[in-house]
Amino acid sequence: MSTIKHSQISALLVDDDAKLCGLLRDYLEGFGFSLDVAEDASSGLEKAVANEYDVILLDIMLPKMNGFDVVRTLRSKKVSTPVI
């Protein structure tokens, strides 16, 4: 039987629900994720542009700017990180 080694996955979670962010952080870090959290669209955009992530986990229903607008802005800034 072969053993699969998992390298740490860096992810950005953008969600305005602080309780959910805490739960997801605890859960995903248990699976080896390095999770950075932003609780609004503007700080999420700032972090996504300034850092390299393997994946961005994005809430669609954010205050002031929805998730679709966040993705459009990311792509206009040439950030090609996959978004879920």
Side-chain angles (χ1 to χ4, degrees):
M1 181 193 308
S2 65
T3 303
I4 299 173
K5 290 187 176 184
H6 297 282
S7 59
Q8 193 168 43
I9 298 169
S10 66
L12 172 62
L13 171 61
V14 183
D15 196 308
D16 59 321
D17 184 335
K19 186 174 181 179
L20 178 63
C21 288
L23 290 170
L24 284 172
R25 176 181 294 216
D26 292 345
Y27 184 77
L28 292 173
E29 285 180 348
F31 285 95
F33 280 74
S34 169
L35 194 66
D36 201 359
V37 175
E39 293 185 6
D40 59 57
S42 62
S43 62
L45 284 169
E46 190 175 299
K47 288 181 179 189
V49 170
N51 301 291
E52 289 189 32
Y53 296 101
D54 296 311
V55 65
I56 297 171
L57 306 171
L58 178 62
D59 183 14
I60 296 299
M61 294 175 31
L62 294 166
K64 297 185 183 177
M65 176 186 272
N66 69 46
F68 297 113
D69 292 334
V70 171
V71 173
R72 279 188 210 81
T73 303
L74 288 173
R75 298 306 183 236
S76 74
K77 295 180 180 286
K78 307 298 184 210
V79 175
S80 60
T81 306
V83 177
I84 296 175

